Amino acid sequence: MLTDLFIQSLRACGGEASSVGAAELPRALAALVGAGGLVVVTPELESLALELAERGVECRVASRLGAGDAGLEADLRAAEVALTRGLVGIARSGTVAVGPGGGNGGLLAALAPRHVVLLGEEDIVDSLAHAMQVISERFHGLGGEAVFITGPSRTADIEMLSVVGVHGPLGLHVVVVRREAG
Amino acid sequence: MIDIPWLNTVIKERNHQEFGTGLRERVFARADLLGDVGSAVAPVANAIMGRRLARLPLARLGVDPDRRMPRYERQTLEAWFRERGPVVVPEPRARVALFVDCFANHNLPHVGQAAVEVLERARVEVVPAHNACCGRPAMSQGLLEKPRSWAAANLTELGRLVGEGYDIVCIEPSCLSTLREDYRRLLETTALEGDPRIGVLEEHAYDITEYLVKLARDGNLGLELKPLDEAFAVHGHCHQKSLGLGPTPAAVLRLIPDADVREVEALCCGMVGSFGYKAEYSALSRAIGGPLFDRLAQAGGSVVACGISCRTQIESGMGCRVVHPVELIHQALA
Amino acid sequence: MQRLGSRDMGAEIERALSNPNLQRALDNAMATLYGRRGAVLGSIDFEALRRRARELKERALARNDELLAQVVERVTELGGTVAVTANAAEARDYIAALARDRGVRRVVKAKSMVSEEIHLNSALEERGIEVVETDLGERIIQLAGERPSHLIVPAVHKTKDDIIDLLARTMGLADPPTQAEDLTRLIRVDLRERFLTADMGITGANFVVAETGTLVLVENEGNIRLSSQLPPVHVALTGREKIVETLADIATFLELLPRSGTGQLLTSYVSLITGVPSTEVTDFGRATGETVHEREFHLVIVDNGRSTAAADPQLREALYCIRCGACLNACAPYTRVGGHVYGSDPYPGASGAPGPTSPRVTPKPARSTVCVPPAPGAPRSAPS
């Protein structure tokens, strides 16, 4: 089962992972990110942001604009959690890819101390080659960034000691969303 | 994958073209000539070179006078072959042409003799190849002209032998590595580029330990060996490892009944041909050897190594005798 | 100019051997890197993977001119600017002029060996621009005023105690932290503000895909993501040998590079940057059909001797390297004395820097020692 392998692989490289049914998502997310400070959500998850806000989560939809946008900078400085959608997951390595496409999803996800990614169960594939194919199709004629993310930001530059959280997020959590029958 | 050793060689060659070649490099390049001279005047050469005082002038060449040179033997392996004449093995299981390398020939002929006698006991016919130096010592100095002509001569001689049904067996792993891993690149820019005999040689040249393991695996060794009642600490040669033959020296020793074989993990002995003799590198060479010496001592038992470099380095670093696995197999012949 | 086998090298080797901190740092790091790599190779057919990667690099290099034209075309189409520069001076001047035109005062920079090769930092600093290295190891080296000594771990020659002293001195800390976590956090906080206020970000590129015009950047820290995405101008600096044919090829290289470099299945981040992201302008949630580029993007491709090397059947070999650094970890002399002895300018190694690992064509007196392949996987068989 790809989802199980994905979750296992991600945990092995220091990330967190869970799996929830689509109907349960807003409640589960509110529990996960609530009271953790400002949650900045990419525009494509706007409706989810509304549901989170209804549940009392301090939530803001990120600006669509790029560098130099005043709203963006404010978001970037204040965000404690970045909530973005994953494009494709790789079971074997516990990798999730975000982007491409406009917006500041990638940037937000790089700056906030915690990054939470929603990944459709059906978007998990077995190998890097397969994931690259998915990305390749998305890239077709489109500019922008895609980032393969495998666990939290880390370094071993000081005496090869593994330290988590250098410039990117200290925590990565992938929520695998199960599509329920019916 | 990148052939970094070859790149290194090429860069050294271009350095010579640009800046000229030092005497030291020219001397180290000629293991064949050094061997000829060394064997010719062996008792005198060994007596003289055995004294540090006599080696002091070498410092002006950039050679560390504290390094002892390998001893030269008066009777070369070639001469031994000549003297004993052809040996007929009835119904041989295989036919081997022994690659007579500069070191087995001049410094360690007894290792070559042991190899021949072990093979013959296993009913393998052995003849000496009339080969030139493989070219490794010169290549290591970045001098490629001679190695190219030697490689051409060796392709002819060894190619002929393979054509007649002989397998080529090497004692010195560095020579085997040259034949198998470097001739293709070495001959790239010559008339012999892509010569089919290169591939033939790559396929039919073996390390002596590899060859014995192969015979045993094919059920063709048929040697009766007696236990030796000692433990062996085995150091792997870098060129064996690069050829994928890391485990074969230990595997050969395990042919000896009840053999207690301890493989010692280390990057390199640090000698690496002429490297350890060069004044500016000799301290580094010893520092590289340090961890290996410690591990060999820790493992206990007789120290076993295949190449002349490793042998010299370990003998001088640990003050013990080092043997080639084939010497031990020879010793174990019932 | 250093003669091969000169006495100076002997003195430098002696110094390195008698430096206990260097010895401790190297002992620890080399064993760790070598071990981690070995631990992940078993899970795949590594030899087949290496052969495949080599074939892909050979094929791409044989078509390098054509692929370069394709990159120029694709990146330009996607709103970027490509500068193909013949040598170090041209590349430096291009970036310096761009910085001047954009009024750049602060540059955040991710690790780029090509930037070391062309001595970019000093060129920018001479023009009054602050250059901030953001890779943790590179930042340490920058604060120490040194050059990197390893392709993957630039500050591999320093112990934690060296780094504590360095940060205390350069950041004016009376009571510096002593744990690696806290030292890292200190740098994170210090650099975060510089990221947010930088006018230009400079990165390298591990691969450039001709088919799509995509840059591939491999890292663990996240500083490449920030350097490339945050400032209003992104400059990517790379050598022309980094161009490969297709995005599908990248899967092969990504299977290989992290395993061989750091012993990871994949690094924390692999960024695929295709031209300049454009955003559709919306008006209260309704698309207007208009798009704006989120930032400026310049791809600076450096030749600096690579074409000549590519035309040379012997030196061409160096251009297939993917810079995993594994050959260094397996190189017996390197593991004892580190990269500085070899004159890290900037590609280090007993394997013959600056010759073999740098694509220079003019033979320079290579400060190389020896090179025999000591173990499966390196260096003869170091991954391409």
Side-chain angles (χ1 to χ4, degrees):
Chain A
M1 175 86 185
L2 287 181
T3 302
D4 292 341
L5 179 58
F6 174 84
I7 289 175
Q8 196 186 327
S9 308
L10 179 52
R11 286 178 181 156
C13 59
E16 296 163 75
S18 53
S19 149
V20 300
E24 287 298 297
L25 184 61
R27 198 183 53 83
L29 265 184
L32 187 67
V33 301
L38 176 66
V39 180
V40 180
V41 180
T42 48
E44 57 192 351
L45 297 176
E46 199 169 350
S47 57
L48 186 61
L50 291 173
E51 290 190 63
L52 286 176
E54 275 170 25
R55 290 170 193 269
V57 177
E58 191 191 354
C59 217
R60 188 182 298 161
V61 177
S63 156
R64 282 185 179 275
L65 288 183
D69 179 37
L72 169 70
E73 196 177 322
D75 288 348
L76 295 180
R77 285 179 184 272
E80 282 297 326
V81 180
L83 180 61
T84 72
R85 204 170 74 82
L87 245 174
V88 59
I90 306 171
R92 236 183 283 172
S93 53
T95 303
V96 61
V98 301
N104 293 298
L107 188 48
L108 271 175
L111 275 164
R114 279 177 77 198
H115 182 200
V116 177
V117 190
L118 306 185
L119 179 66
E121 188 176 41
E122 66 283 3
D123 293 326
I124 299 177
V125 299
D126 58 341
S127 68
L128 179 62
H130 195 157
M132 198 58 86
Q133 231 168 34
V134 174
I135 296 285
S136 187
E137 280 155 24
R138 288 293 184 109
F139 261 126
H140 199 72
L142 194 68
E145 286 104 3
V147 185
F148 285 105
I149 299 175
T150 310
S153 156
R154 61 173 67 243
T155 186
D157 273 348
I158 301 176
E159 281 189 2
M160 304 311 295
L161 298 161
S162 186
V163 175
V164 164
V166 193
H167 298 295
L170 285 74
L172 171 73
H173 192 125
V174 178
V175 179
V176 178
V177 185
R178 291 191 306 268
R179 220 175 268 302
E180 261 113 355
Chain B
M1 67 186 73
I2 305 287
D3 193 343
I4 291 178
W6 179 251
L7 260 177
N8 220 19
T9 305
V10 169
I11 299 291
K12 284 181 188 166
E13 185 194 29
R14 306 221 173 173
N15 278 321
H16 292 311
Q17 288 162 358
E18 187 98 338
F19 303 101
T21 307
L23 178 58
R24 183 180 67 176
E25 280 65 32
R26 288 182 200 280
V27 171
F28 279 132
R30 297 305 301 268
D32 58 325
L33 284 184
L34 287 173
D36 285 345
V37 174
S39 285
V41 297
V44 184
N46 291 335
I48 294 178
M49 294 315 280
R51 293 165 189 270
R52 184 173 187 276
L53 204 63
R55 292 193 300 259
L56 275 180
L58 293 176
R60 299 187 56 185
L61 259 186
V63 174
D64 179 3
D66 289 331
R67 279 284 190 194
R68 297 191 64 145
M69 308 287 155
R71 291 176 58 85
Y72 288 101
E73 295 299 328
R74 184 96 183 136
Q75 189 191 40
T76 63
L77 184 60
E78 264 174 340
W80 176 81
F81 265 117
R82 252 195 325 271
E83 268 170 42
R84 72 168 205 154
V87 170
V88 180
V89 175
E91 293 175 52
R93 287 185 167 120
R95 303 168 82 195
V96 159
L98 191 71
F99 185 89
V100 181
D101 69 78
C102 303
F103 306 105
N105 198 24
H106 298 289
N107 307 102
L108 304 167
H110 66 282
V111 178
Q113 291 161 22
V116 173
E117 286 167 10
V118 166
L119 285 169
E120 285 175 349
R121 185 70 73 88
R123 296 218 341 254
V124 175
E125 180 195 326
V126 186
V127 298
H130 297 290
N131 55 274
C133 170
C134 67
R136 166 72 66 202
M139 271 171 49
S140 299
Q141 308 304 324
L143 296 165
L144 302 187
E145 201 186 306
K146 280 271 183 296
R148 286 196 175 108
S149 65
W150 290 330
N154 285 338
L155 272 195
T156 305
E157 165 71 358
L158 304 177
R160 176 186 65 80
L161 286 163
V162 172
E164 291 172 13
Y166 288 94
D167 292 321
I168 310 298
V169 170
C170 295
I171 293 168
E172 173 57 53
S174 295
C175 301
L176 176 67
S177 148
T178 311
L179 306 183
R180 258 205 222 168
E181 297 188 295
D182 293 297
Y183 273 10
R184 191 169 290 279
R185 295 310 294 260
L186 184 64
L187 296 170
E188 237 170 30
T189 46
T190 72
L192 290 171
E193 176 162 2
D195 191 291
R197 288 173 303 175
I198 300 172
V200 169
L201 189 54
E202 285 168 355
E203 213 169 296
H204 291 274
Y206 299 89
D207 180 76
I208 178 70
T209 60
E210 176 191 20
Y211 199 70
L212 293 175
V213 169
K214 177 177 131 66
L215 287 176
R217 200 190 48 220
D218 298 346
N220 277 333
L221 193 60
L223 283 182
E224 247 181 80
L225 298 175
K226 56 175 195 260
L228 286 183
D229 198 31
E230 57 181 324
F232 307 111
V234 185
H235 163 63
H237 190 286
C238 292
H239 280 133
Q240 282 175 329
K241 292 179 195 164
S242 103
L243 287 161
L245 303 177
T248 58
V252 162
L253 291 177
R254 292 202 176 97
L255 296 173
I256 300 171
D258 307 322
D260 177 0
V261 182
R262 302 160 187 183
E263 288 171 87
V264 171
E265 278 281 323
L267 272 187
C268 176
C269 75
M271 185 58 110
V272 208
S274 64
F275 175 72
Y277 291 98
K278 293 182 175 172
E280 70 276 26
Y281 301 131
S282 63
L284 175 53
S285 162
R286 290 189 179 93
I288 293 167
L292 170 65
F293 305 154
D294 293 346
R295 284 172 213 173
L296 284 169
Q298 214 175 1
S302 305
V303 179
V304 180
C306 289
I308 180 129
S309 278
C310 313
R311 191 174 175 122
T312 316
Q313 171 83 330
I314 297 168
E315 285 184 345
S316 81
M318 298 182 70
C320 66
R321 215 175 92 77
V322 177
V323 291
H324 189 287
V326 81
E327 292 177 73
L328 293 166
I329 298 290
H330 188 260
Q331 212 178 308
L333 288 177
Chain C
M1 283 250 157
Q2 190 79 41
R3 288 273 311 142
L4 249 180
S6 72
R7 286 218 170 71
D8 283 3
M9 183 140 186
E12 280 178 51
I13 287 174
E14 296 275 4
R15 250 200 310 281
L17 288 174
S18 57
N19 176 346
N21 280 17
L22 175 67
Q23 292 299 315
R24 200 153 54 82
L26 287 173
D27 269 347
N28 169 46
M30 294 296 108
T32 308
L33 283 167
Y34 194 72
R36 281 190 192 158
R37 177 173 182 267
V40 294
L41 298 190
S43 59
I44 44 160
D45 185 349
F46 189 62
E47 292 303 322
L49 191 58
R50 285 203 297 196
R51 272 197 303 278
R52 170 92 185 123
R54 164 104 189 185
E55 280 164 23
L56 294 174
K57 285 291 263 190
E58 283 181 2
R59 226 168 56 196
L61 195 67
R63 301 177 54 203
N64 190 254
D65 285 342
E66 188 190 334
L67 297 182
L68 175 63
Q70 214 177 326
V71 167
V72 173
E73 193 186 329
R74 291 296 293 139
V75 172
T76 311
E77 259 171 33
L78 290 159
T81 307
V82 185
V84 180
T85 58
N87 53 44
E90 264 188 47
R92 280 196 307 264
D93 291 349
Y94 180 88
I95 297 170
L98 179 67
R100 186 195 55 221
D101 291 350
R102 301 300 183 270
V104 170
R105 282 160 307 168
R106 174 176 281 170
V107 170
V108 280
K109 196 164 151 285
K111 191 153 94 59
S112 148
M113 293 312 283
V114 177
S115 78
E116 299 279 349
E117 176 186 329
I118 68 169
H119 297 265
L120 177 63
N121 288 14
S122 53
L124 293 175
E125 282 158 1
E126 276 163 23
R127 290 164 170 85
I129 296 165
E130 182 197 3
V131 181
V132 183
E133 291 289 351
T134 60
D135 173 86
L136 180 59
E138 287 284 347
R139 181 64 175 164
I140 290 166
I141 295 300
Q142 185 181 37
L143 291 173
E146 294 173 6
R147 305 264 283 163
S149 69
H150 190 282
L151 288 172
I152 303 293
V153 197
V156 73
H157 55 284
K158 292 206 174 299
T159 60
K160 192 172 70 169
D161 290 342
D162 291 337
I163 295 166
I164 294 168
D165 290 348
L166 174 73
L167 295 187
R169 195 164 37 101
T170 55
M171 297 174 82
L173 306 174
D175 188 20
T178 56
Q179 296 302 307
E181 283 80 6
D182 302 324
L183 294 165
T184 304
R185 211 67 77 227
L186 201 65
I187 300 272
R188 176 185 170 106
V189 171
D190 180 64
L191 291 187
R192 178 55 65 97
E193 200 51 38
R194 295 176 204 264
F195 270 122
L196 289 166
T197 52
D199 311 299
M200 176 185 275
I202 298 178
T203 68
N206 295 89
F207 306 96
V208 180
V209 181
E211 170 196 45
T212 53
T214 304
L215 307 188
V216 182
L217 291 148
V218 178
E219 62 159 336
N220 277 310
E221 295 186 3
N223 64 310
I224 294 182
R225 295 173 69 192
L226 296 182
S227 300
S228 62
Q229 299 187 39
L230 199 45
V233 183
H234 172 206
V235 177
L237 174 64
T238 196
R240 60 182 295 166
E241 84 284 10
K242 298 284 178 69
I243 303 173
V244 299
E245 290 179 324
T246 67
L247 208 50
D249 297 348
I250 294 298
T252 300
F253 295 118
L254 289 182
E255 296 275 6
L256 194 58
L257 179 57
R259 278 185 168 87
S260 202
T262 52
Q264 292 172 286
L265 297 185
L266 258 183
T267 55
S268 295
Y269 307 117
V270 177
S271 297
L272 308 173
I273 301 178
T274 307
V276 187
S278 52
T279 303
E280 201 169 353
V281 178
T282 53
D283 187 18
F284 292 98
R286 290 215 342 262
T288 60
E290 245 184 281
T291 58
V292 289
H293 286 312
E294 290 174 9
R295 63 180 161 271
E296 223 181 306
F297 171 58
H298 296 257
L299 174 59
V300 180
I301 297 176
V302 180
D303 191 313
N304 210 26
R306 288 162 171 81
S307 306
T308 323
D312 184 318
Q314 308 284 359
L315 293 180
R316 189 180 297 153
E317 186 78 18
L319 301 177
Y320 302 136
C321 176
I322 57 168
R323 307 260 191 268
C324 69
C327 57
L328 302 177
N329 313 335
C331 171
Y334 182 95
T335 60
R336 297 259 51 96
V337 294
H340 285 152
V341 162
Y342 294 92
S344 345
D345 195 22
Y347 308 99
S351 45
T357 46
S358 113
R360 308 262 162 77
V361 181
T362 322
K364 293 176 75 175
R367 304 186 108 202
S368 73
T369 48
V370 288
C371 194
V372 288
R380 179 187 296 279
S381 33
S384 65

